[in-house]
Every structure is written in structure tokens, then in C-alpha cells.
Amino acid sequence: MKIIALEGPSYAGKSTAIRHLCTRGIQERAFVSDCYVQHIARRTDIPPAHTASAAEQLAAFETFMGIEGARVRQALASSKPVVLLDRSVDTLLAHAHALDALFGYDIHHRLRDRFQELPFLRPHHTLYLDVPAEELALRRKAAGHTAAESEYFLHEPAFLAHTRDYFVSAAQPPLSREVTVIPADASPDAVAHAVEALVTYWTR
């Protein structure tokens, strides 16, 4: 089973790329899983991006790992040779890495230890869509979400910098076996076609 994950900040184009792949028939040979938050029925049950304490962040991790366990079971039951993920467990570790740097929670290493006890989908390939903060802000504004979410922690410059660091530096190696960075400040269609080219190459 080949596991491929798309990572990157919110509004980077992950979901758009996966929708494009679905129009190309990727679901005929791949189990496709939405982002973690899409598996939570009520918006009010989604753990906050900016947790108030290390304990709250650990609880959020356990919530998402419950979803990850379901993903594992569904992927195995599908018997398909490819798994395509909109975010992987590396999202959870990148988030913890950022919160450690910003607030001193000191939880990243504890989460890595938890992975020794829990089933999860470890990507063979991760595509990290790399988008400048300024472009992300423009995309969010164009989507009409700026007024409703004036305080958006996931686009705060320091948070973006630390989560990006997790994927592109060797200081905290991701669980993914390989990370490929794609400059994603082009049009969503161009990014989707770049993703398609790599996914096709890895799954042929």
C-alpha cells in the first residue's frame, strides 16, 4: 500500500488538488480521506487551533488520533493499493512543534512517543504545498472568510513559520518517509496539475 499525503497551511490548495485528482479518477485505485476536521460532525466539537494549555493540546491530539484510527481501518478495508490523505499525522506533530516553540508546552516529544502505541498511516510521500503568508491571506479574503474569522491563529506569521520549519528543516524529522516541497503560490489549477504529475509518477 502506497500512502501519499498533502500537507501545507490552510488555504494552500490541498483540497483543491485532491478534488482535481478525483476528477481524474484517482478513487478508482486509491482510498481518499478528507482532512481530520471533516470527520467531526459538529463544528463546536473541533479542538481549537490555539489550545490554552499543554493538557488541552494533548486532549486534542487524542481526539484526532481517534479519527486516525478510523482512517487506518477504512484504508485497510478498501484493499486499494494507494491511500491519499488530506493531511496526515505529521500535521499533528507540526502543530505541536509550533505550540512548543510559541508557548513552551513541551509536548512534541510526548506525542512522538504516543505514536509507538497507536496505529497510524505513515506516508511514503508527503507533498508540502509552500505558500507565502501574504498569498494565504489573499486567498482567505477572496473566500469571504476574513470578516467572520478576523482572528485566525492558523495564519499568524509565527505559527506558519514554525509549522513550515517542521516540514522543511531536519531539526524535527517528519514521520513521512519523504517530503517534497512544491511552491504553491501559483494558481490553484497549476498547483493541482503539479500534484497530479507527482502522484501519477509515484503510483504508476
Side-chain angles (χ1 to χ4, degrees):
M1 180 183 290
K2 179 70 65 70
I3 302 172
I4 301 172
L6 268 67
E7 294 281 3
S10 180
Y11 296 89
K14 301 178 297 298
S15 298
T16 298
I18 289 176
R19 284 195 298 271
H20 171 75
L21 287 168
C22 289
T23 68
R24 299 291 193 176
I26 190 69
Q27 289 171 304
E28 295 175 7
R29 65 183 190 280
F31 167 76
V32 181
S33 183
D34 291 330
C35 178
Y36 292 101
V37 297
Q38 301 302 321
H39 294 260
I40 299 176
R42 296 188 304 176
R43 185 177 178 84
T44 54
D45 291 338
I46 299 172
H50 182 181
T51 49
S53 66
E56 190 174 309
Q57 185 60 29
L58 289 169
F61 172 80
E62 295 298 339
T63 295
F64 289 128
M65 286 308 294
I67 296 168
E68 181 68 13
R71 278 174 139 190
V72 171
R73 293 188 293 272
Q74 292 164 359
L76 292 174
S78 75
S79 300
K80 292 183 177 178
V82 178
V83 174
L84 184 63
L85 304 174
D86 185 342
R87 297 194 182 278
S88 73
V89 290
D90 275 317
T91 280
L92 310 181
L93 287 176
H95 202 104
H97 170 70
L99 296 184
D100 279 5
L102 293 171
F103 308 118
Y105 285 173
D106 194 28
I107 57 172
H108 184 271
H109 68 286
R110 296 168 65 181
L111 300 192
R112 292 189 90 97
D113 289 344
R114 282 289 282 137
F115 278 116
Q116 305 306 313
E117 308 165 8
L118 297 167
F120 65 94
L121 296 167
R122 182 187 180 194
H124 295 85
H125 299 283
T126 290
L127 293 173
Y128 180 79
L129 305 187
D130 196 17
V131 185
E134 298 79 5
E135 176 63 22
L136 294 173
L138 290 173
R139 293 180 184 180
R140 185 166 151 261
K141 183 177 181 180
H145 297 164
T146 302
E149 300 175 325
S150 57
E151 301 292 331
Y152 194 62
F153 179 71
L154 295 177
H155 279 184
E156 288 189 3
F159 178 82
L160 287 172
H162 289 301
T163 52
R164 181 182 187 276
D165 177 70
Y166 172 81
F167 286 102
V168 305
S169 79
Q172 298 283 356
L175 293 181
S176 178
R177 295 171 175 85
E178 180 183 62
V179 177
T180 300
V181 178
I182 296 181
D185 51 353
S187 71
D189 284 346
V191 174
H193 281 87
V195 169
E196 180 188 12
L198 284 168
V199 170
T200 300
Y201 173 75
W202 287 327
T203 60
R204 63 188 179 186

